[in-house]
PDB file of all heavy atoms in Angstrom:
ATOM      1  N   ARG A  75       0.859  -1.188   0.000  1.00 97.00           N
ATOM      2  CA  ARG A  75      -0.003   0.001   0.000  1.00 97.00           C
ATOM      3  C   ARG A  75       0.900   1.241   0.000  1.00 97.00           C
ATOM      4  O   ARG A  75       1.745   1.417   0.888  1.00 97.00           O
ATOM      5  CB  ARG A  75      -0.913   0.031   1.215  1.00 97.00           C
ATOM      6  CG  ARG A  75      -1.797   1.301   1.279  1.00 97.00           C
ATOM      7  CD  ARG A  75      -2.555   1.397   2.582  1.00 97.00           C
ATOM      8  NE  ARG A  75      -3.590   0.385   2.661  1.00 97.00           N
ATOM      9  CZ  ARG A  75      -4.837   0.516   2.172  1.00 97.00           C
ATOM     10  NH1 ARG A  75      -5.174   1.656   1.581  1.00 97.00           N
ATOM     11  NH2 ARG A  75      -5.710  -0.458   2.296  1.00 97.00           N
ATOM     12  N   GLY A  76       0.719   2.079  -1.003  1.00 97.00           N
ATOM     13  CA  GLY A  76       1.514   3.292  -1.069  1.00 97.00           C
ATOM     14  C   GLY A  76       2.138   3.475  -2.437  1.00 97.00           C
ATOM     15  O   GLY A  76       1.559   3.095  -3.452  1.00 97.00           O
ATOM     16  N   ASN A  77       3.357   4.032  -2.456  1.00 96.00           N
ATOM     17  CA  ASN A  77       4.017   4.327  -3.729  1.00 96.00           C
ATOM     18  C   ASN A  77       5.215   3.405  -3.948  1.00 96.00           C
ATOM     19  O   ASN A  77       5.483   2.503  -3.153  1.00 96.00           O
ATOM     20  CB  ASN A  77       4.433   5.802  -3.769  1.00 96.00           C
ATOM     21  CG  ASN A  77       5.363   6.185  -2.621  1.00 96.00           C
ATOM     22  OD1 ASN A  77       6.226   5.397  -2.232  1.00 96.00           O
ATOM     23  ND2 ASN A  77       5.184   7.384  -2.076  1.00 96.00           N
ATOM     24  N   VAL A  78       5.945   3.657  -5.022  1.00 97.00           N
ATOM     25  CA  VAL A  78       7.035   2.750  -5.388  1.00 97.00           C
ATOM     26  C   VAL A  78       8.154   2.750  -4.342  1.00 97.00           C
ATOM     27  O   VAL A  78       8.763   1.705  -4.088  1.00 97.00           O
ATOM     28  CB  VAL A  78       7.604   3.097  -6.786  1.00 97.00           C
ATOM     29  CG1 VAL A  78       6.595   2.759  -7.867  1.00 97.00           C
ATOM     30  CG2 VAL A  78       8.032   4.562  -6.878  1.00 97.00           C
ATOM     31  N   LEU A  79       8.418   3.879  -3.721  1.00 97.00           N
ATOM     32  CA  LEU A  79       9.450   3.902  -2.685  1.00 97.00           C
ATOM     33  C   LEU A  79       9.003   3.140  -1.439  1.00 97.00           C
ATOM     34  O   LEU A  79       9.821   2.520  -0.746  1.00 97.00           O
ATOM     35  CB  LEU A  79       9.815   5.340  -2.322  1.00 97.00           C
ATOM     36  CG  LEU A  79      10.938   5.971  -3.148  1.00 97.00           C
ATOM     37  CD1 LEU A  79      11.192   7.401  -2.697  1.00 97.00           C
ATOM     38  CD2 LEU A  79      12.215   5.144  -3.073  1.00 97.00           C
ATOM     39  N   ASP A  80       7.708   3.163  -1.149  1.00 97.00           N
ATOM     40  CA  ASP A  80       7.198   2.345  -0.044  1.00 97.00           C
ATOM     41  C   ASP A  80       7.464   0.864  -0.315  1.00 97.00           C
ATOM     42  O   ASP A  80       7.832   0.108   0.592  1.00 97.00           O
ATOM     43  CB  ASP A  80       5.706   2.578   0.147  1.00 97.00           C
ATOM     44  CG  ASP A  80       5.378   3.974   0.640  1.00 97.00           C
ATOM     45  OD1 ASP A  80       6.172   4.514   1.440  1.00 97.00           O
ATOM     46  OD2 ASP A  80       4.357   4.534   0.210  1.00 97.00           O
ATOM     47  N   ALA A  81       7.291   0.446  -1.589  1.00 97.00           N
ATOM     48  CA  ALA A  81       7.548  -0.948  -1.953  1.00 97.00           C
ATOM     49  C   ALA A  81       9.032  -1.284  -1.845  1.00 97.00           C
ATOM     50  O   ALA A  81       9.403  -2.385  -1.417  1.00 97.00           O
ATOM     51  CB  ALA A  81       7.045  -1.223  -3.379  1.00 97.00           C
ATOM     52  N   VAL A  82       9.898  -0.351  -2.229  1.00 97.00           N
ATOM     53  CA  VAL A  82      11.341  -0.566  -2.099  1.00 97.00           C
ATOM     54  C   VAL A  82      11.713  -0.788  -0.644  1.00 97.00           C
ATOM     55  O   VAL A  82      12.437  -1.731  -0.296  1.00 97.00           O
ATOM     56  CB  VAL A  82      12.115   0.644  -2.682  1.00 97.00           C
ATOM     57  CG1 VAL A  82      13.588   0.583  -2.284  1.00 97.00           C
ATOM     58  CG2 VAL A  82      11.986   0.678  -4.195  1.00 97.00           C
ATOM     59  N   ARG A  83      11.196   0.046   0.219  1.00 97.00           N
ATOM     60  CA  ARG A  83      11.536  -0.050   1.650  1.00 97.00           C
ATOM     61  C   ARG A  83      10.929  -1.297   2.287  1.00 97.00           C
ATOM     62  O   ARG A  83      11.591  -1.984   3.070  1.00 97.00           O
ATOM     63  CB  ARG A  83      11.082   1.213   2.354  1.00 97.00           C
ATOM     64  CG  ARG A  83      11.821   2.477   1.889  1.00 97.00           C
ATOM     65  CD  ARG A  83      11.388   3.705   2.657  1.00 97.00           C
ATOM     66  NE  ARG A  83      12.149   4.885   2.241  1.00 97.00           N
ATOM     67  CZ  ARG A  83      11.621   5.928   1.606  1.00 97.00           C
ATOM     68  NH1 ARG A  83      10.325   5.951   1.308  1.00 97.00           N
ATOM     69  NH2 ARG A  83      12.380   6.965   1.261  1.00 97.00           N
ATOM     70  N   GLU A  84       9.682  -1.592   1.949  1.00 97.00           N
ATOM     71  CA  GLU A  84       9.026  -2.754   2.550  1.00 97.00           C
ATOM     72  C   GLU A  84       9.721  -4.052   2.174  1.00 97.00           C
ATOM     73  O   GLU A  84       9.804  -4.987   2.995  1.00 97.00           O
ATOM     74  CB  GLU A  84       7.563  -2.811   2.109  1.00 97.00           C
ATOM     75  CG  GLU A  84       6.789  -3.984   2.696  1.00 97.00           C
ATOM     76  CD  GLU A  84       5.322  -3.941   2.349  1.00 97.00           C
ATOM     77  OE1 GLU A  84       4.563  -3.248   3.045  1.00 97.00           O
ATOM     78  OE2 GLU A  84       4.925  -4.597   1.354  1.00 97.00           O
ATOM     79  N   ASN A  85      10.239  -4.124   0.951  1.00 97.00           N
ATOM     80  CA  ASN A  85      10.876  -5.346   0.473  1.00 97.00           C
ATOM     81  C   ASN A  85      12.393  -5.341   0.624  1.00 97.00           C
ATOM     82  O   ASN A  85      13.062  -6.286   0.209  1.00 97.00           O
ATOM     83  CB  ASN A  85      10.494  -5.588  -0.985  1.00 97.00           C
ATOM     84  CG  ASN A  85       9.029  -5.938  -1.161  1.00 97.00           C
ATOM     85  OD1 ASN A  85       8.605  -7.050  -0.890  1.00 97.00           O
ATOM     86  ND2 ASN A  85       8.232  -4.958  -1.593  1.00 97.00           N
ATOM     87  N   GLY A  86      12.940  -4.270   1.201  1.00 97.00           N
ATOM     88  CA  GLY A  86      14.375  -4.201   1.434  1.00 97.00           C
ATOM     89  C   GLY A  86      15.194  -4.261   0.162  1.00 97.00           C
ATOM     90  O   GLY A  86      16.258  -4.891   0.124  1.00 97.00           O
ATOM     91  N   LEU A  87      14.734  -3.577  -0.895  1.00 97.00           N
ATOM     92  CA  LEU A  87      15.404  -3.655  -2.193  1.00 97.00           C
ATOM     93  C   LEU A  87      16.598  -2.706  -2.248  1.00 97.00           C
ATOM     94  O   LEU A  87      16.568  -1.592  -1.708  1.00 97.00           O
ATOM     95  CB  LEU A  87      14.421  -3.315  -3.318  1.00 97.00           C
ATOM     96  CG  LEU A  87      13.126  -4.136  -3.357  1.00 97.00           C
ATOM     97  CD1 LEU A  87      12.284  -3.714  -4.550  1.00 97.00           C
ATOM     98  CD2 LEU A  87      13.421  -5.631  -3.397  1.00 97.00           C
ATOM     99  N   SER A  88      17.629  -3.139  -2.948  1.00 95.00           N
ATOM    100  CA  SER A  88      18.810  -2.299  -3.171  1.00 95.00           C
ATOM    101  C   SER A  88      19.339  -2.568  -4.570  1.00 95.00           C
ATOM    102  O   SER A  88      19.083  -3.624  -5.154  1.00 95.00           O
ATOM    103  CB  SER A  88      19.891  -2.586  -2.133  1.00 95.00           C
ATOM    104  OG  SER A  88      20.332  -3.930  -2.241  1.00 95.00           O
ATOM    105  N   ALA A  89      20.080  -1.617  -5.116  1.00 97.00           N
ATOM    106  CA  ALA A  89      20.610  -1.752  -6.464  1.00 97.00           C
ATOM    107  C   ALA A  89      21.717  -0.734  -6.695  1.00 97.00           C
ATOM    108  O   ALA A  89      21.973   0.131  -5.848  1.00 97.00           O
ATOM    109  CB  ALA A  89      19.499  -1.572  -7.506  1.00 97.00           C
ATOM    110  N   ASP A  90      22.362  -0.857  -7.846  1.00 97.00           N
ATOM    111  CA  ASP A  90      23.413   0.083  -8.216  1.00 97.00           C
ATOM    112  C   ASP A  90      22.850   1.360  -8.830  1.00 97.00           C
ATOM    113  O   ASP A  90      23.503   2.408  -8.801  1.00 97.00           O
ATOM    114  CB  ASP A  90      24.355  -0.566  -9.238  1.00 97.00           C
ATOM    115  CG  ASP A  90      24.968  -1.847  -8.712  1.00 97.00           C
ATOM    116  OD1 ASP A  90      25.468  -1.839  -7.575  1.00 97.00           O
ATOM    117  OD2 ASP A  90      24.921  -2.867  -9.439  1.00 97.00           O
ATOM    118  N   ALA A  91      21.662   1.254  -9.419  1.00 98.00           N
ATOM    119  CA  ALA A  91      21.102   2.398 -10.142  1.00 98.00           C
ATOM    120  C   ALA A  91      19.593   2.299 -10.191  1.00 98.00           C
ATOM    121  O   ALA A  91      19.000   1.223  -9.995  1.00 98.00           O
ATOM    122  CB  ALA A  91      21.666   2.465 -11.562  1.00 98.00           C
ATOM    123  N   ILE A  92      18.968   3.431 -10.477  1.00 98.00           N
ATOM    124  CA  ILE A  92      17.523   3.524 -10.689  1.00 98.00           C
ATOM    125  C   ILE A  92      17.275   4.048 -12.092  1.00 98.00           C
ATOM    126  O   ILE A  92      17.869   5.046 -12.499  1.00 98.00           O
ATOM    127  CB  ILE A  92      16.867   4.471  -9.665  1.00 98.00           C
ATOM    128  CG1 ILE A  92      16.913   3.866  -8.259  1.00 98.00           C
ATOM    129  CG2 ILE A  92      15.432   4.793 -10.063  1.00 98.00           C
ATOM    130  CD1 ILE A  92      16.422   4.811  -7.177  1.00 98.00           C
ATOM    131  N   PHE A  93      16.407   3.376 -12.842  1.00 98.00           N
ATOM    132  CA  PHE A  93      15.891   3.866 -14.112  1.00 98.00           C
ATOM    133  C   PHE A  93      14.380   4.013 -13.923  1.00 98.00           C
ATOM    134  O   PHE A  93      13.709   3.036 -13.553  1.00 98.00           O
ATOM    135  CB  PHE A  93      16.138   2.880 -15.254  1.00 98.00           C
ATOM    136  CG  PHE A  93      17.579   2.756 -15.695  1.00 98.00           C
ATOM    137  CD1 PHE A  93      18.612   3.359 -15.009  1.00 98.00           C
ATOM    138  CD2 PHE A  93      17.888   2.022 -16.830  1.00 98.00           C
ATOM    139  CE1 PHE A  93      19.929   3.230 -15.429  1.00 98.00           C
ATOM    140  CE2 PHE A  93      19.194   1.882 -17.266  1.00 98.00           C
ATOM    141  CZ  PHE A  93      20.216   2.492 -16.560  1.00 98.00           C
ATOM    142  N   ALA A  94      13.826   5.201 -14.157  1.00 97.00           N
ATOM    143  CA  ALA A  94      12.429   5.424 -13.792  1.00 97.00           C
ATOM    144  C   ALA A  94      11.685   6.296 -14.798  1.00 97.00           C
ATOM    145  O   ALA A  94      12.278   7.120 -15.492  1.00 97.00           O
ATOM    146  CB  ALA A  94      12.353   6.071 -12.407  1.00 97.00           C
ATOM    147  N   CYS A  95      10.365   6.096 -14.819  1.00 95.00           N
ATOM    148  CA  CYS A  95       9.471   6.927 -15.611  1.00 95.00           C
ATOM    149  C   CYS A  95       8.165   7.059 -14.843  1.00 95.00           C
ATOM    150  O   CYS A  95       7.639   6.063 -14.328  1.00 95.00           O
ATOM    151  CB  CYS A  95       9.212   6.304 -16.986  1.00 95.00           C
ATOM    152  SG  CYS A  95       8.144   7.303 -18.058  1.00 95.00           S
ATOM    153  N   GLY A  96       7.652   8.271 -14.755  1.00 94.00           N
ATOM    154  CA  GLY A  96       6.407   8.472 -14.032  1.00 94.00           C
ATOM    155  C   GLY A  96       6.144   9.948 -13.797  1.00 94.00           C
ATOM    156  O   GLY A  96       6.839  10.816 -14.332  1.00 94.00           O
ATOM    157  N   PRO A  97       5.155  10.253 -12.960  1.00 92.00           N
ATOM    158  CA  PRO A  97       4.812  11.654 -12.691  1.00 92.00           C
ATOM    159  C   PRO A  97       5.920  12.369 -11.919  1.00 92.00           C
ATOM    160  O   PRO A  97       6.739  11.741 -11.232  1.00 92.00           O
ATOM    161  CB  PRO A  97       3.523  11.549 -11.863  1.00 92.00           C
ATOM    162  CG  PRO A  97       3.549  10.175 -11.287  1.00 92.00           C
ATOM    163  CD  PRO A  97       4.259   9.311 -12.280  1.00 92.00           C
ATOM    164  N   ALA A  98       5.927  13.693 -12.017  1.00 90.00           N
ATOM    165  CA  ALA A  98       7.002  14.492 -11.437  1.00 90.00           C
ATOM    166  C   ALA A  98       7.208  14.281  -9.946  1.00 90.00           C
ATOM    167  O   ALA A  98       8.359  14.181  -9.497  1.00 90.00           O
ATOM    168  CB  ALA A  98       6.759  15.977 -11.738  1.00 90.00           C
ATOM    169  N   PRO A  99       6.152  14.190  -9.113  1.00 93.00           N
ATOM    170  CA  PRO A  99       6.410  13.968  -7.682  1.00 93.00           C
ATOM    171  C   PRO A  99       7.160  12.661  -7.415  1.00 93.00           C
ATOM    172  O   PRO A  99       8.026  12.606  -6.540  1.00 93.00           O
ATOM    173  CB  PRO A  99       5.000  13.942  -7.083  1.00 93.00           C
ATOM    174  CG  PRO A  99       4.172  14.749  -8.025  1.00 93.00           C
ATOM    175  CD  PRO A  99       4.724  14.444  -9.380  1.00 93.00           C
ATOM    176  N   MET A 100       6.835  11.617  -8.167  1.00 95.00           N
ATOM    177  CA  MET A 100       7.538  10.350  -8.021  1.00 95.00           C
ATOM    178  C   MET A 100       8.999  10.501  -8.413  1.00 95.00           C
ATOM    179  O   MET A 100       9.901  10.048  -7.685  1.00 95.00           O
ATOM    180  CB  MET A 100       6.866   9.292  -8.896  1.00 95.00           C
ATOM    181  CG  MET A 100       7.649   8.001  -9.037  1.00 95.00           C
ATOM    182  SD  MET A 100       6.864   6.883 -10.232  1.00 95.00           S
ATOM    183  CE  MET A 100       8.330   6.038 -10.882  1.00 95.00           C
ATOM    184  N   LEU A 101       9.272  11.141  -9.534  1.00 95.00           N
ATOM    185  CA  LEU A 101      10.648  11.293  -9.992  1.00 95.00           C
ATOM    186  C   LEU A 101      11.454  12.173  -9.047  1.00 95.00           C
ATOM    187  O   LEU A 101      12.638  11.919  -8.808  1.00 95.00           O
ATOM    188  CB  LEU A 101      10.666  11.878 -11.406  1.00 95.00           C
ATOM    189  CG  LEU A 101       9.956  11.051 -12.486  1.00 95.00           C
ATOM    190  CD1 LEU A 101      10.132  11.702 -13.845  1.00 95.00           C
ATOM    191  CD2 LEU A 101      10.463   9.614 -12.513  1.00 95.00           C
ATOM    192  N   ARG A 102      10.815  13.178  -8.490  1.00 94.00           N
ATOM    193  CA  ARG A 102      11.501  14.051  -7.534  1.00 94.00           C
ATOM    194  C   ARG A 102      11.927  13.245  -6.303  1.00 94.00           C
ATOM    195  O   ARG A 102      13.058  13.392  -5.812  1.00 94.00           O
ATOM    196  CB  ARG A 102      10.564  15.187  -7.132  1.00 94.00           C
ATOM    197  CG  ARG A 102      11.219  16.296  -6.333  1.00 94.00           C
ATOM    198  CD  ARG A 102      10.237  17.423  -6.034  1.00 94.00           C
ATOM    199  NE  ARG A 102       9.688  17.981  -7.262  1.00 94.00           N
ATOM    200  CZ  ARG A 102       8.403  17.931  -7.602  1.00 94.00           C
ATOM    201  NH1 ARG A 102       7.515  17.329  -6.833  1.00 94.00           N
ATOM    202  NH2 ARG A 102       7.995  18.468  -8.740  1.00 94.00           N
ATOM    203  N   ALA A 103      11.039  12.382  -5.828  1.00 96.00           N
ATOM    204  CA  ALA A 103      11.360  11.564  -4.657  1.00 96.00           C
ATOM    205  C   ALA A 103      12.456  10.552  -4.971  1.00 96.00           C
ATOM    206  O   ALA A 103      13.346  10.301  -4.150  1.00 96.00           O
ATOM    207  CB  ALA A 103      10.099  10.834  -4.180  1.00 96.00           C
ATOM    208  N   LEU A 104      12.444   9.988  -6.182  1.00 97.00           N
ATOM    209  CA  LEU A 104      13.466   9.010  -6.563  1.00 97.00           C
ATOM    210  C   LEU A 104      14.826   9.672  -6.723  1.00 97.00           C
ATOM    211  O   LEU A 104      15.860   9.085  -6.374  1.00 97.00           O
ATOM    212  CB  LEU A 104      13.063   8.303  -7.850  1.00 97.00           C
ATOM    213  CG  LEU A 104      11.855   7.370  -7.757  1.00 97.00           C
ATOM    214  CD1 LEU A 104      11.563   6.742  -9.110  1.00 97.00           C
ATOM    215  CD2 LEU A 104      12.070   6.295  -6.697  1.00 97.00           C
ATOM    216  N   LYS A 105      14.845  10.884  -7.249  1.00 96.00           N
ATOM    217  CA  LYS A 105      16.113  11.609  -7.376  1.00 96.00           C
ATOM    218  C   LYS A 105      16.737  11.816  -5.996  1.00 96.00           C
ATOM    219  O   LYS A 105      17.942  11.578  -5.802  1.00 96.00           O
ATOM    220  CB  LYS A 105      15.884  12.959  -8.059  1.00 96.00           C
ATOM    221  CG  LYS A 105      17.141  13.814  -8.144  1.00 96.00           C
ATOM    222  CD  LYS A 105      16.881  15.151  -8.831  1.00 96.00           C
ATOM    223  CE  LYS A 105      18.145  16.006  -8.834  1.00 96.00           C
ATOM    224  NZ  LYS A 105      17.952  17.298  -9.529  1.00 96.00           N
ATOM    225  N   ALA A 106      15.927  12.233  -5.030  1.00 96.00           N
ATOM    226  CA  ALA A 106      16.434  12.454  -3.671  1.00 96.00           C
ATOM    227  C   ALA A 106      16.879  11.142  -3.039  1.00 96.00           C
ATOM    228  O   ALA A 106      17.933  11.079  -2.390  1.00 96.00           O
ATOM    229  CB  ALA A 106      15.352  13.124  -2.823  1.00 96.00           C
ATOM    230  N   TYR A 107      16.106  10.079  -3.245  1.00 97.00           N
ATOM    231  CA  TYR A 107      16.438   8.771  -2.671  1.00 97.00           C
ATOM    232  C   TYR A 107      17.770   8.262  -3.231  1.00 97.00           C
ATOM    233  O   TYR A 107      18.615   7.752  -2.492  1.00 97.00           O
ATOM    234  CB  TYR A 107      15.324   7.779  -2.974  1.00 97.00           C
ATOM    235  CG  TYR A 107      15.568   6.383  -2.447  1.00 97.00           C
ATOM    236  CD1 TYR A 107      15.270   6.065  -1.133  1.00 97.00           C
ATOM    237  CD2 TYR A 107      16.093   5.391  -3.282  1.00 97.00           C
ATOM    238  CE1 TYR A 107      15.491   4.776  -0.637  1.00 97.00           C
ATOM    239  CE2 TYR A 107      16.320   4.114  -2.796  1.00 97.00           C
ATOM    240  CZ  TYR A 107      16.022   3.815  -1.485  1.00 97.00           C
ATOM    241  OH  TYR A 107      16.254   2.544  -1.007  1.00 97.00           O
ATOM    242  N   ALA A 108      17.954   8.395  -4.551  1.00 97.00           N
ATOM    243  CA  ALA A 108      19.189   7.937  -5.182  1.00 97.00           C
ATOM    244  C   ALA A 108      20.390   8.717  -4.654  1.00 97.00           C
ATOM    245  O   ALA A 108      21.448   8.150  -4.374  1.00 97.00           O
ATOM    246  CB  ALA A 108      19.083   8.074  -6.694  1.00 97.00           C
ATOM    247  N   ALA A 109      20.238  10.026  -4.503  1.00 96.00           N
ATOM    248  CA  ALA A 109      21.342  10.850  -3.989  1.00 96.00           C
ATOM    249  C   ALA A 109      21.698  10.456  -2.559  1.00 96.00           C
ATOM    250  O   ALA A 109      22.879  10.367  -2.190  1.00 96.00           O
ATOM    251  CB  ALA A 109      20.959  12.322  -4.060  1.00 96.00           C
ATOM    252  N   GLU A 110      20.674  10.194  -1.747  1.00 96.00           N
ATOM    253  CA  GLU A 110      20.914   9.815  -0.352  1.00 96.00           C
ATOM    254  C   GLU A 110      21.640   8.478  -0.235  1.00 96.00           C
ATOM    255  O   GLU A 110      22.400   8.249   0.710  1.00 96.00           O
ATOM    256  CB  GLU A 110      19.581   9.727   0.393  1.00 96.00           C
ATOM    257  CG  GLU A 110      18.900  11.066   0.611  1.00 96.00           C
ATOM    258  CD  GLU A 110      17.464  10.907   1.077  1.00 96.00           C
ATOM    259  OE1 GLU A 110      17.044   9.746   1.322  1.00 96.00           O
ATOM    260  OE2 GLU A 110      16.758  11.924   1.188  1.00 96.00           O
ATOM    261  N   ASN A 111      21.405   7.603  -1.219  1.00 96.00           N
ATOM    262  CA  ASN A 111      21.947   6.247  -1.145  1.00 96.00           C
ATOM    263  C   ASN A 111      23.114   6.004  -2.109  1.00 96.00           C
ATOM    264  O   ASN A 111      23.524   4.864  -2.302  1.00 96.00           O
ATOM    265  CB  ASN A 111      20.829   5.237  -1.410  1.00 96.00           C
ATOM    266  CG  ASN A 111      19.831   5.175  -0.282  1.00 96.00           C
ATOM    267  OD1 ASN A 111      20.033   4.458   0.693  1.00 96.00           O
ATOM    268  ND2 ASN A 111      18.747   5.936  -0.395  1.00 96.00           N
TER     269      ASN A 111
END
């Protein structure tokens, strides 16, 4: 329940990179998440 970052956190996912497409609020959150990690 929630957004794509909620699914990443709930499932403990990690990777070397993110490739994404979607609405601006989602992309803004992914940009910040990638920079933090």
